[in-house]
Amino acid sequence: MLNNSKKQKSKSKKLSKSKDSEVKSSCESANFKSEQAACQYEQTTIKKVKNEKDISPILEEEIPFGSSIQQQSNLQDYDKLICEEVVKDFTSFTFNNSLEHQISQEDEQETLSEFMREQVKYEENYSYKKNYLNNQNEIQSHMVAILFDWLIEVAHSFHFKRETFYLSINYVERYLLRQPNFHISRFQLLGVAAIFIAHKCEEIYPKTLKDFHRLIQDQYTIQEIEQMEVLILKSLDFRMYPNTPIFWLNYYTKLWDEFIIDKDPCVMFKERTNEAYYRYRELVQLFDVCLIDYQYKHNEKLTILSLIYLVVGKQLQIFDDYETMAISQSEICDFFHSDEQEYNKLFRQFILQSEIYLEFDRQIFFEDLNDVIYQLLKYFILRFDNSLPRVLLNNQQFIDEMQHEELLSFQTYNKSTIETITIISKQHQ
């Protein structure tokens, strides 16, 4: 009897091991067949952000053009930095529009508007000043940009949602605001703990603490990550669910699509087509670089609306080219102030009809975008990456089966982000 039971246990163990090996091999396959398998797949090589002594060299290594920008000022070399869209056929895929569920706009508009007004009021619990570096002696703006860029890459490699990344940014900024003179040697530890908390709040399939510990390659211990997690939670009074900027970007693009759908030309962001998907990716990559750059402190809502104005205007070929948008700012500013332009009339109508609020009692108007648009133009030197996230590559079936909003929610990494921020900062020195 005992021998039989032992044999049965050994067989069950062998069976479980074989199942585990099968699951592991399926997760490592490039052709993901389920979201759970996709979320279990992780990238083995992740860029590191080290202590203060190592941050500057990392910045120089990632930006090979930094020195040449100062030395070469001729137009031909500078044009190489002007962003160019990746060829549309870079990653071939199609959308199955039959999967979209059509919802009556009239039925939900009134309820949605009331709900969003409440969300603006809800933000008062999480509002904070963006001057958190004023009380920091060791942490500088370029270090913040590198850390946030690294967090984007972490979210991209783990197939996290954009909401997860923006939650981690919120935690880091609020913590630095409440903890003056934070030591630079613990700066990456703060970032790791922040995205660890954020992914537990947002992701359906969470990672283990060991997964995050491998990211920093024994620079900190697991116990230190846990201790930092506790410090963050206590410092933020366990208020961990703010409305992040990407929440408002998705809402405003939804409003725009509903507004423009019956007009000509119809330039949308969330239509289930390749062109709309590339346009949405362009918008969010610009939004990422704007918020990663510490020197940019405008309100996120105005930033989103201004980017929608510029991206749609570029799609309609209102402006000549990227060089005009990034360098010759006066042309676009003159265009913006012209009341006779049909595009301005259209966008003004969109702002008024949508009743978008900056604060609970402060509605946004078309004229509020003036200064923000002028500041945003310089970010159009960013070279866009329209390739699919790795979790979706070569997996047309996965794309067809998932909801379109879920497909848009994956965080993607642009390697040109830090390069762009550095060039902009050097231009303004």
Side-chain angles (χ1 to χ4, degrees):
M1 293 290 290
L2 291 174
N3 291 333
N4 290 335
S5 63
K6 288 182 180 179
K7 290 181 180 179
Q8 290 177 355
K9 289 182 179 179
S10 62
K11 288 182 180 180
S12 62
K13 288 182 180 179
K14 290 180 180 178
L15 288 172
S16 63
K17 287 183 179 178
S18 63
K19 289 181 179 180
D20 290 341
S21 62
E22 292 175 1
V23 171
K24 183 177 181 181
S25 62
S26 63
C27 290
E28 291 174 349
S29 173
N31 186 12
F32 294 101
K33 293 185 178 180
S34 68
E35 184 179 3
Q36 183 175 8
C39 293
Q40 290 174 348
Y41 180 83
E42 61 183 80
Q43 182 175 322
T44 58
T45 304
I46 302 225
K47 179 174 57 178
K48 298 186 294 180
V49 176
K50 299 184 179 179
N51 55 28
E52 183 181 19
K53 295 180 180 179
D54 293 331
I55 281 184
S56 296
I58 290 177
L59 186 61
E60 294 174 359
E61 291 174 4
E62 291 187 347
I63 309 166
F65 311 100
S67 58
S68 61
I69 292 304
Q70 292 179 328
Q71 298 172 1
Q72 302 177 3
S73 58
N74 58 71
L75 183 60
Q76 182 178 2
D77 291 335
Y78 184 80
D79 282 344
K80 294 179 182 179
L81 299 174
I82 303 302
C83 65
E84 300 173 354
E85 281 189 300
V86 175
V87 178
K88 301 300 183 183
D89 294 332
F90 181 82
T91 303
S92 179
F93 67 101
T94 57
F95 288 113
N96 185 352
N97 290 297
S98 63
L99 297 174
E100 289 297 287
H101 177 62
Q102 302 297 328
I103 301 175
S104 174
Q105 298 179 10
E106 297 178 356
D107 294 339
E108 67 174 3
Q109 186 61 42
E110 183 176 354
T111 303
L112 179 61
S113 298
E114 182 180 352
F115 171 75
M116 299 312 294
R117 285 286 301 276
E118 290 297 324
Q119 293 304 304
V120 175
K121 186 176 182 180
Y122 172 75
E123 282 189 324
E124 297 177 0
N125 298 327
Y126 289 94
S127 61
Y128 64 97
K129 296 181 180 180
K130 300 300 176 66
N131 59 345
Y132 51 88
L133 290 189
N134 291 349
N135 60 355
Q136 302 294 332
N137 293 328
E138 299 186 12
I139 301 175
Q140 301 176 14
S141 60
H142 74 277
M143 300 175 186
V144 174
I146 292 176
L147 178 67
F148 288 169
D149 180 71
W150 179 73
L151 290 178
I152 288 183
E153 190 173 8
V154 171
H156 171 73
S157 62
F158 279 160
H159 312 301
F160 288 162
K161 310 299 183 185
R162 286 191 172 91
E163 184 75 12
T164 302
F165 162 68
Y166 279 99
L167 280 174
S168 64
I169 281 188
N170 181 278
Y171 300 160
V172 170
E173 292 183 338
R174 287 163 59 200
Y175 185 84
L176 291 178
L177 189 64
R178 298 190 179 193
Q179 302 295 328
N181 300 323
F182 190 76
H183 202 281
I184 186 62
S185 63
R186 295 168 60 82
F187 193 38
Q188 188 184 12
L189 176 63
L190 174 62
V192 171
I195 197 169
F196 178 61
I197 298 172
H199 106 285
K200 290 197 292 185
C201 294
E202 184 65 24
E203 300 297 328
I204 299 176
Y205 304 103
K207 299 291 181 180
T208 65
L209 188 55
K210 291 182 178 179
D211 294 326
F212 288 88
H213 182 244
R214 282 195 291 269
L215 298 178
I216 51 181
Q217 297 186 358
D218 298 328
Q219 197 170 356
Y220 310 99
T221 65
I222 291 180
Q223 290 72 22
E224 286 178 313
I225 299 177
E226 291 175 333
Q227 291 171 2
M228 179 56 69
E229 178 186 5
V230 173
L231 291 176
I232 293 174
L233 293 172
K234 289 183 177 179
S235 178
L236 304 186
D237 299 324
F238 290 86
R239 295 180 179 270
M240 314 308 291
Y241 293 94
N243 287 332
T244 64
I246 203 66
F247 169 85
W248 294 110
L249 183 143
N250 287 323
Y251 174 56
Y252 294 159
T253 50
K254 174 181 172 63
L255 290 180
W256 170 261
D257 287 358
E258 292 175 350
F259 169 78
I260 204 68
I261 191 170
D262 58 348
K263 297 177 176 58
D264 185 37
C266 183
V267 179
M268 303 178 70
F269 287 97
K270 293 193 172 183
E271 185 182 18
R272 198 176 176 94
T273 63
N274 292 42
E275 292 76 13
Y277 175 75
Y278 294 133
R279 197 174 300 123
Y280 180 84
R281 287 284 305 275
E282 178 180 343
L283 178 68
V284 294
Q285 286 178 49
L286 279 166
F287 192 47
D288 284 345
V289 71
C290 288
L291 297 190
I292 288 176
D293 190 352
Y294 173 77
Q295 299 178 11
Y296 189 81
K297 299 179 182 178
H298 287 291
N299 188 284
E300 290 90 351
K301 298 185 181 68
L302 297 178
T303 302
I304 298 166
L305 293 172
S306 300
L307 284 175
I308 292 175
Y309 175 87
L310 291 171
V311 170
V312 174
K314 182 175 72 66
Q315 178 66 32
L316 298 177
Q317 298 182 344
I318 292 175
F319 314 120
D320 293 340
D321 50 30
Y322 289 104
E323 182 179 356
T324 300
M325 297 190 73
I327 302 175
S328 303
Q329 301 177 347
S330 58
E331 180 179 340
I332 299 179
C333 291
D334 292 341
F335 178 89
F336 178 81
H337 289 98
S338 175
D339 295 332
E340 298 179 358
Q341 298 291 343
E342 292 298 324
Y343 180 56
N344 288 344
K345 294 179 181 179
L346 181 69
F347 208 85
R348 187 188 298 273
Q349 181 185 356
F350 161 65
I351 295 291
L352 291 175
Q353 180 176 317
S354 301
E355 294 186 358
I356 301 173
Y357 284 80
L358 186 66
E359 299 170 357
F360 183 68
D361 56 350
R362 163 78 163 85
Q363 187 172 347
I364 295 177
F365 297 99
F366 180 73
E367 290 73 18
D368 295 329
L369 307 183
N370 179 31
D371 295 336
V372 185
I373 285 177
Y374 185 83
Q375 294 293 328
L376 283 176
L377 292 174
K378 57 182 176 288
Y379 290 104
F380 275 78
I381 66 172
L382 178 70
R383 289 179 288 187
F384 302 109
D385 179 8
N386 286 331
S387 57
L388 283 173
R390 182 171 12 181
V391 66
L392 304 176
L393 284 176
N394 304 319
N395 201 338
Q396 182 65 49
Q397 181 180 357
F398 191 28
I399 295 175
D400 288 341
E401 292 177 353
M402 66 175 12
Q403 294 292 325
H404 191 50
E405 286 290 336
E406 184 180 4
L407 180 139
L408 298 179
S409 68
F410 285 106
Q411 178 64 56
T412 52
Y413 178 65
N414 189 325
K415 296 180 179 179
S416 302
T417 298
I418 293 294
E419 170 190 331
T420 302
I421 292 175
T422 305
I423 294 170
I424 292 172
S425 62
K426 288 181 178 180
Q427 288 176 345
H428 289 78
Q429 285 179 356

